[in-house]
Structure formats: structure tokens, C-alpha cells
Amino acid sequence: MCANPVEKIIRFLPPLPREFYNRDPREVSTDLLGKILVRRTGRKLLAARIVEVEAYLGENDPAAHSAVGRTPRNAVMFGPPGFAYVYFIYGNHYCLNVSCLPEGTAGAILLRAAEPLLGIEIMAKAREVAIDTTGGLRNLTSGPGRLAEAFGITRSRDNGKDFTDQKSGLFIVDDGYSALEIVTTARIGITKAAELPLRYLIAGNPFVSGAARLKSGNPG
DNA sequence: AAGCGGATCGTCT
DNA sequence: GACGATCCGCTTG
């Protein structure tokens, strides 16, 4: 085992610290691109490089779940920075966020897409549906619902987990990779404040969700 | 290759 | 009782 050199590196990297998340969601968003989301359950290790996120600014952001004020559902976003906010959407999917800003101030980053690095077999098994029908690996984690499913994220298991605590088994690490070019666009799937450029992605990365089509010359 | 609509249920009014 | 920070499959070009 451990034939994968990437695994040796990732296994010993520490979680990003609390201060990393204790900032404006827009700053955290740009810095999260290129970082690695890690999920540890027992001996199993999942890892994927984050290539697309969205910032949700808090009570003054009409598109954010926190816009309605604190409720049992969104309470994590009003707590301290660096905790998992997981919600269930459209009767089908979970989505994974990280809380930002100090306790009492809402804010979060939605993790929308990533490039699988470790545990690809496990991710494929968790996704199960239609792995080979369209995009191969791209099908695993390109989109917030897919990413959550590939990582086995559910609200009951993961909502409120501490991203800075290694024992939570869910955290983000920095392997020194830096995103070459960051593009901002409007956020996806919202109706309010839909014009704000709060979606961040790595330019040209094939694992970005949605209209990240490859240019003409797209091979077979 | 791109656009449309159904599925499905927790959360808040 | 309505709607949503989505995904998938089917249809059309």
C-alpha cells in the first residue's frame, strides 16, 4: 500500500487554522482555491483539490440562508469560523459549506467543485450513478451535490463539524499549490442578488461545474 | 452540445 | 403549503 506519493504528503499536512476562516468570505474564497479537502474515516482517506467555491456574505446577502436571521437550520453560520454548515436541497442533495467570520456574524463558503486526488474508488462507489456516461472523473465531484455525495457528507453526520480539528475527520489542508488564475462570475442557481460576482473558480480547470466546457478540439 | 422539466423533502410562513 | 445555494435523463438541433 501507500504506493501513491500524493498520499504520503497529504496524510501529514495539518488542517488550516481558525484564523484562516476568520475573515471576509470573499477573501477566504480566493484562498480556498487550490487547497485540498480531506475526509478521514477510519483508515479511509479521501482528498480532492478545491477548484470552485461561492461566497455567502451573511445577513446582508439576500441569497444567503442566513439572510432570514438565525434559525436552527442555519445556526452554524452564526457560530465561530471554520465549522461545517451542511444543508439538504431539492429533496435530493446535500451541500457542504465552511463558516466564516467571528461568532455572532454569519458568513460561509459553499464548496462547489473539486478535482479528485485520493480515494477515487470510494468516491465512485458513493456516487454510483452514471460514472461513465458523460465525464468520467469529472462526474465525481463537479458540482456541490456531487462533491458532497462523493465525500459521504450528510447533515446528521457532518453539520457542525470543526474544520480545524483533525479528529473531526473533515478538514482542509495546504500543500503549497497556488491557483494560477482565478476567475469570478455570478453565483449559480439563485434568484436574489444574482448579479454579484461571488463565484470563484480556477481558470480553465476541467473540474469546474456547469459550463466549464473544453474548447473546440475537445478530444474523444 | 444545449435546454427543459421531474424528482423529492426539510424548513419556514 | 410553497419553494429551494441541484442533478439527471430525455429531447432537439
Side-chain angles (χ1 to χ4, degrees):
Chain A
M1 346 209 318
C2 215
N4 191 336
V6 179
E7 177 172 348
K8 288 189 176 180
I9 297 169
I10 291 176
R11 198 171 273 282
F12 296 104
L13 291 171
L16 292 171
R18 186 85 57 208
E19 308 85 66
F20 179 92
Y21 301 102
N22 193 17
R23 294 182 290 159
D24 186 290
R26 287 163 289 202
E27 290 181 44
V28 181
S29 288
T30 57
D31 288 348
L32 274 180
L33 292 177
K35 302 293 189 295
I36 301 175
L37 176 66
V38 176
R39 165 78 122 176
R40 248 190 211 161
T41 50
R43 273 177 232 81
K44 294 180 179 177
L45 185 64
L46 303 181
R49 192 177 306 282
I50 298 166
V51 301
E52 178 186 342
V53 301
E54 282 177 0
Y56 286 87
L57 305 184
E59 292 187 271
N60 294 325
D61 179 357
H65 291 170
S66 47
V68 297
R70 187 179 186 135
T71 69
R73 177 205 193 195
N74 65 23
V76 171
M77 287 193 288
F78 287 82
F83 285 81
Y85 167 54
V86 179
Y87 65 87
F88 186 65
I89 192 67
Y90 295 125
N92 286 307
H93 306 287
Y94 292 97
C95 293
L96 175 62
N97 302 247
V98 195
S99 66
C100 296
L101 297 170
E103 175 147 30
T105 306
I109 314 295
L110 169 64
L111 304 183
R112 287 191 55 90
E115 173 178 355
L117 298 176
L118 295 176
I120 291 171
E121 300 293 323
I122 299 171
M123 293 184 200
K125 197 171 181 179
R127 292 276 296 121
E128 200 159 358
V129 286
I131 292 304
D132 295 321
T133 55
T134 54
L137 279 192
R138 223 185 87 80
N139 247 348
L140 294 180
T141 53
S142 292
R146 290 168 171 174
L147 176 60
E149 187 172 24
F151 272 68
I153 303 288
T154 67
R155 177 171 161 87
S156 61
R157 280 173 58 187
D158 300 302
N159 191 54
K161 276 191 174 170
D162 188 351
F163 267 71
T164 71
D165 181 6
Q166 216 152 12
K167 291 193 298 292
S168 74
L170 184 63
F171 48 90
I172 297 172
V173 302
D174 181 2
D175 71 336
Y177 177 95
S178 72
L180 294 180
E181 187 185 349
I182 295 173
V183 172
T184 65
T185 78
R187 292 175 291 187
I188 304 293
I190 58 172
T191 56
K192 302 165 201 160
E195 72 287 354
L196 298 180
L198 295 176
R199 174 173 176 244
Y200 302 79
L201 53 94
I202 298 179
N205 190 289
F207 291 90
V208 166
S209 73
R213 313 278 177 252
L214 300 173
K215 298 289 185 181
S216 63
N218 188 359

